[in-house]
Amino acid sequence: MINQLVLVREWHPLVLILIGLIVGLVVYVIYRLGNPSFKETRYKREPFLSGNVSPGESKALHIGGSNLYWGFTRALKKYFKPLVGAHTGIVNDYLYWFIITIAIVMVVLYFV
Amino acid sequence: MNIDIVQHSPALILAVPLLFAFLTPIVARISEKGRDAIFFLGLFIMAFFVSVMAYEVYTVGGWSYVFGGGTVTPNGTGSSFFRILFVADGISAMASITLTISAIGAAIYSYKFMEHDTGLNKFNTLFLLMIAGVNGMVLTGDLFNLFVWFEVASVSSAALIAFKNYEGEAVEAALKYMILSVVAGLFFLLSIGFLYGQYGVLNFQLLAENITGTNLDKIALTILVVVLALKAGAVPLHFIIPDAYSMAPGSVTAVLVVASQAGLWVLFRVVFTLYGLAVNTFTLGWIVIVLGILSMFIGVTMALVQKTVKRLMAYHAISQTGYMLLGVGVGLAVLGQPEMDIYGRLAMEGGIFHIINHAMYKGLLFMTAGVIIYETGKRKLDELGGLGHSMKWTMVFFMIGALAIAGIPPFNGFASKLMIYKSVYSFNPLLSIIAMVVSILTLASFVKVFHSIFMGPKDESVSKTTEAPKPMLLGMAILAGVVILFSLFPGLVVSTIVEPAVEALGVIV
Amino acid sequence: MNWEAILMTIPYMTVVILFMIGLFTVLFKKNLIKIIMGIAIMQNAANLFLVSLAYRRGEYAPIFTSAESTEMVMPTAHALTLTSIVIGLATTALLLSFVIMIKKHYGSINTDDVRRCKE
Amino acid sequence: MNWKMSRIVRTVTNFLIVPIIVYGIYLVLHGHLTPGGGFQGGAVIASSTALLIIAYGTLGEHEKDLSSVEALGLTLFILIALLGIGTTMFYNFLAGAGGVFGGTIPEGINPGYINTGGTVPLMNIFVGLEVTAALSLIIWMMSKETFVINSEKKEVKD
């Protein structure tokens, strides 16, 4: 009965969760086998910020917001510039798009 | 005078929110507490009638309800030739369930969310009117009645978008939303004129019987498809959706998502039952698929460059709508051919299952964004940071929503996306690959949002933020609970709710 | 030349002309009030279209108590037009109040200025 | 700052209001016999409110009452529709049942008797009530806004 309840065309979430639990258990066992007295020593020094002084726990460290994917957007600038430009915010342009879509769909439906 | 609740439930689903919407100003004069009590009472009575109707539809089968007609004839012919007709079948049951869950979650959430605002009896009235409008749009079996409820939903959601005034931007978003909805409504009226002029009948079932694919019908079909795609937010027409979702108050956005999905429900009902095989369904299927692919890809790429939380989530709503259009577009493309049973039905089930999944986790995400704005007052991603320290529960809900929308395996987003990937792959491999790439990009943009809001050092300027108040957490917990329930038992949901909806698309009860 | 048929299409031609005028105003005019006027013109065109659909040659108005004969026009199209007029009023009232609020906040009602929600 | 028209306009308005309202009520009541009905009659009565607002510049503190009247009209409309739930919603249970609006409609040409429509006249009355209040509220809200802009003589660039 459980199968009928949960199975969606070969996708069985409970099996996945079961596997997750088992893997978690194994990882936990390996963690417990570790030697608790091991001191984390290797990365004791400060991260090398190419010589700059690290600003510490301040807000400056937190790269967030819109410039997180700046590389991605800069690389695809040729694609993003017209796309973002199309969102002009003017009501008339929105209505153009509405009329253009009706025209295109009407032509496609008529001829094909 | 025994009133057979079950038989009258479609009408009562509409009458109760309307009645309580109009009672609010009177009760509000007597007591503020009474007004909120009326608001929740109306919602819970409507939820009761929705469950009664859904139970009846899933056990006995659909029926149509004639307003003011003599007797309630099972297949809606006879005296209902010219009367307004409500159809209770798989589609309306599923859509009403989706709407009720997100409406109750949003109502509980908005109890605390709207307390700094004045004019709350207007908010309650508009909220109930929007719910009645969306329910009407989905339940109705009459073409002109659909136009009326389309306008009721548009007017009330535009007014709700302009409710909280962020220095006038909310009014601008509402104005644009309203102008496009009105112009779209007028084109809709034209197509009603075409169909009524030709066949002299407005009823879905009778129209479906004698529609032949004349050129005028094709023009009417084009206008119907494009107007409903505008309401749902497919790409070339999606421009109003980001403004509307980002400017509306948090709790309203959760129901706004379902309001635009009502456009999708009606689009499927028009395309499958009203026109069915009278029109070349392969080209129509491909038109819907192209709309879906455009929505998916452009929605997610626009989301990657967004700077404010709600606008980013709005673009994701558009890209997820693309999944639904893709799924059902494939089903439409192979309608009537033998492949329908091989992968067409699976694609439609995946598309429709994705609608209810999306309504749940998208509502949850918008509510978390609402909490962040409610607590910190800041909207831009750059100004937020390190909120994870103080807002534990909101972070948990955000993670559930983000993992579900990105389609990470145990969650319900993955269940419906897997069905779409499998079936679309056997239809056309390239489409399925695009769908997967878009899913990865969705995950990328939500990692960006999660990192910039919740992670990072504890910020002094937003240090005073405390966890969200109890009702808001309860509202989010309801939606998160449903997301988890759907992700653990997708088979149950598909077999009880989604299959009758796909069955109902083929034949009008 | 079948003048009879051409005369019959005059109402529909007016509908097309009115609708195009309304569409032109809505698409190309930059002033919000003019856009709302364009929408009002389109609403009238749609209403005219619905009413002209119901015309049957030689039949009477469907007033039950003073009917010369039982040949009556089917009044559904008129009912549709009534509802559409009422909806037209509601939407125009809402649009106009939005424009009033925008004038207060933005100081101008030109669509080129009213575009803070872009990109 | 109360912005009033001259005395002539105010006295003429006082006289004009009465026929407009009577005509509006006639339209509402005879909705099921003659062209007209709830919405049209309500709109006529609301035009008298517009006249009042223009003449006297203000409608006084009646916003709350107007929105309550509007809510009352709509609630009664839905209740009348729900009363017919025995068979289906919006069922015309009063027609032909004797009673207040239940008279039988005589055959052939007749001037039309008011006592015939069943629930239709009642619905007309409630819709008339609602539309009068709603339209007056709309006109009053809009004029209140524009009065504020004009009276403050704010320099508003256009």
Side-chain angles (χ1 to χ4, degrees), chain B residues 363-376:
Chain B
L364 184 64
L365 284 170
F366 272 118
M367 285 187 190
T368 46
V371 163
I372 290 159
I373 294 169
Y374 176 79
E375 289 293 334
T376 59

Side-chain angles (χ1 to χ4, degrees), chain B residues 109 112-116 369-377 469 472:
Chain B
Y109 179 86
K112 205 65 164 165
F113 184 75
M114 300 301 289
E115 70 186 349
H116 310 310
V371 163
I372 290 159
I373 294 169
Y374 176 79
E375 289 293 334
T376 59
M472 292 162 92

